[in-house]
Amino acid sequence: MTDLSSKRVVLGVTGGIAAYKSADLVRRLREAGADVRVVMTRSATEFVTPLTFQALSNHPVATTLLDADAEQAMGHIALARWADVVLVAPASANFLSRLARGAADDLLSTLCLATGAPVAVAPAMNRQMWDNRATVDNVTLLRSRGIYIYGPAEGMQACGETGPGRMLEPADLVRRVTGLFATGRLAGRRVLVTAGPTLEDIDPVRFIGNRSSGKMGYAVALAAAEAGANVVLISGPVALPAPPRTRRIDVRTAQQMHDAVMAQIGAQDIFIGAAAVADYRVAQAAEQKIKKDGQALQLTLTPTPDILAAVAALPDAPFCVGFAAETEAVAQNARTKLAAKGLDMIAANNVAVDGIGFDADENALTVCWRGGARELPRAPKDRLARELISLIAERYHETHTTEDTGRTHR
Ligand code: PMT
């Protein structure tokens, strides 16, 4: 399976005859759904022109560290932060050596030092160079530092010799990069996620709603699927496509979301409530459009069911994770909700901060559970969702054995 939906890949290309294969690699990464930015070393540009990679990636190619224009577009620190993964393919013997000694004398080496994302290299070189003690030591050191080493393959080399040193084929590299995200941490578990807003009708044309775009919940659903879970996503009205490998059930109102959740919950191991569910609905929605008569209009609102609290109160409740949309005292209010709703975990976001929370591409979460808390600093929602899912998996597995499907932990 090679699905890289919404993944940001920095592809580093270093000097070597295998650089021509990286053009195909860009194409295949994009076909798998990745957004690809290419960074080339100076010697790589002797083998393939930046224009080729620009055309294939649909983005300008970065080649120098101190290019004022490039730094303005997306400088090395921005690129390092942007990346979900940095893949260097081909990685020459010289580049491996510079990476091993922590060089920061060109854009690609600096970026590898500056990124918090996983770094993978696909070595390509003459077989003697690969077998040389210096390269062997460099590769051992890089591996010990957590750098992924993909390949090399054995076979006929451009220099006419036969042996190890060929860059892995692009399809193989795409599979391996995909594998970095397929953590398997929730393999075989069933996860139910709610996302988006609910809309409560006032009359046939008007409703009470909120600004939830669904981005956070959809990212959580995708991250759970990537972690190997069987995911059902119950979604209010949003403008997003269903994440790959999830089953989506569309609803409109809080009552419909409640009913859909309750119909599915019996089979679930984990419930994650990321939806912004309306707390009130109009007691009696008008059957016809309400006419404007210049007078004040009074609507009687009645509470909607609290879905999360209802799930957590089930006798055989799944592992329950709530979200909390707060505007002040974030951690304190989150803890109050954690206790009041009887949850296993809560992820709180400060929706008063510009650029995060509702309808934003980024978020920041304070995650609390009984006896612990973790700050997940501001980041794109898809990356944050992966961190949250790995934290949920950690906590979930701490409270369940492998045989236990998780319905009796409390
Ligand atoms: O969708 P986005 O634009 O990406 O924005 C993401 C988000 C801000 C909506 C998301 O990160 C978030 O905070 N979701 C929860 C919003 C919310 O309703 O928070 P709350 O503090 O009011 O509710 C607490 C919890 O109870 C939530 O898990 C909510 O789903 C649940 N709830 C609330 C009311 C209700 N009637 N039923 C519920 O299940």
Side-chain angles (χ1 to χ4, degrees):
M1 191 159 42
T2 51
D3 190 338
L4 287 170
S5 310
S6 75
K7 302 296 177 298
R8 291 168 284 261
V9 180
V10 167
L11 175 64
V13 183
T14 73
I17 190 66
Y20 81 91
K21 284 196 201 172
S22 303
D24 186 33
L25 180 55
V26 173
R27 192 179 60 79
R28 285 172 187 268
L29 286 166
R30 291 195 68 204
E31 273 172 10
D35 189 0
V36 183
R37 306 286 167 122
V38 178
V39 174
M40 300 177 78
T41 61
R42 197 185 47 73
S43 56
T45 63
E46 312 269 338
F47 289 86
V48 184
T49 66
L51 201 56
T52 305
F53 286 110
Q54 177 169 328
L56 289 167
S57 68
N58 211 16
H59 290 293
V61 170
T63 52
T64 49
L65 184 56
L66 298 172
D67 174 339
D69 289 343
E71 284 289 307
Q72 250 169 18
M74 202 191 262
H76 64 285
I77 296 295
L79 262 177
R81 285 193 189 134
W82 176 85
D84 289 320
V85 58
V86 177
L87 169 65
V88 182
S92 64
N94 179 44
F95 184 75
L96 294 181
S97 146
R98 294 197 301 116
L99 193 59
R101 86 180 136 79
D105 52 6
D106 72 354
L107 177 57
L108 187 55
S109 55
T110 308
L111 195 145
C112 288
L113 274 189
T115 191
V119 176
V121 296
M125 65 197 70
N126 164 272
R127 70 176 177 87
Q128 297 278 15
M129 292 168 79
W130 174 251
D131 284 336
N132 188 289
R133 191 60 210 258
T135 307
V136 171
D137 286 351
N138 286 334
V139 169
T140 307
L141 184 61
L142 290 174
R143 207 174 254 130
S144 75
R145 288 184 189 151
I147 307 276
Y148 296 90
I149 313 287
Y150 294 161
E154 292 203 19
M156 184 69 151
Q157 303 201 300
C159 55
E161 297 180 18
T162 302
R166 285 170 60 91
M167 185 174 104
L168 291 186
E169 291 305 317
D172 196 355
L173 289 174
V174 174
R175 248 193 317 277
R176 286 171 190 246
V177 171
T178 308
L180 288 177
F181 299 98
T183 61
R185 286 190 179 113
L186 290 176
R189 303 295 158 173
R190 290 151 301 180
V191 177
L192 178 57
V193 181
T194 65
T198 64
L199 307 183
E200 311 300 329
D201 289 336
I202 298 171
D203 68 16
V205 296
R206 305 179 180 96
F207 57 81
I208 299 172
N210 62 66
R211 289 170 42 225
S212 170
S213 63
K215 287 177 190 167
M216 191 71 241
Y218 275 51
V220 167
L222 177 59
E226 286 174 348
N230 192 329
V231 179
V232 175
L233 171 62
I234 297 182
S235 174
V238 297
L240 300 173
R245 288 174 276 149
T246 62
R247 180 162 71 87
R248 186 172 78 177
I249 299 171
D250 292 324
V251 297
R252 178 174 170 82
T253 66
Q255 187 64 51
Q256 287 169 3
M257 186 172 274
H258 170 273
D259 295 349
V261 167
M262 289 306 170
Q264 300 290 327
I265 203 68
Q268 306 301 323
D269 297 307
I270 297 173
F271 175 70
I272 307 172
V277 186
D279 290 317
Y280 293 92
R281 67 176 175 83
V282 178
Q284 195 65 55
E287 281 182 19
Q288 305 301 328
K289 184 181 169 201
I290 298 171
K291 296 274 181 281
K292 184 173 77 173
D293 61 6
Q295 301 300 309
L297 175 67
Q298 287 204 345
L299 295 172
T300 304
L301 301 182
T302 187
T304 56
D306 190 316
I307 304 166
L308 184 59
V311 170
L314 287 172
D316 201 10
F319 187 89
C320 274
V321 183
F323 267 72
E326 304 296 340
T327 52
E328 57 177 347
V330 174
Q332 192 184 322
N333 289 339
R335 282 215 174 272
T336 306
K337 274 183 190 155
L338 179 80
K341 299 199 186 196
L343 308 177
D344 293 289
M345 201 179 228
I346 195 154
N349 37 198
N350 189 337
V351 292
V353 175
D354 270 355
I356 64 171
F358 282 94
D359 200 15
D361 290 331
E362 295 190 331
N363 210 354
L365 296 174
T366 303
V367 188
C368 306
W369 59 92
R370 278 184 293 274
R374 180 93 52 93
E375 291 293 333
L376 302 182
R378 182 171 176 156
K381 282 180 176 168
D382 51 357
R383 188 173 304 163
L384 217 48
R386 286 195 289 277
E387 291 177 33
L388 179 63
I389 284 295
S390 101
L391 200 50
I392 290 172
E394 209 177 282
R395 298 289 312 143
Y396 171 81
H397 289 301
E398 270 177 30
T399 47
H400 300 78
T401 63
T402 24
E403 299 80 44
D404 178 8
T405 51
R407 310 304 305 268
T408 55
H409 64 286
R410 281 181 236 225

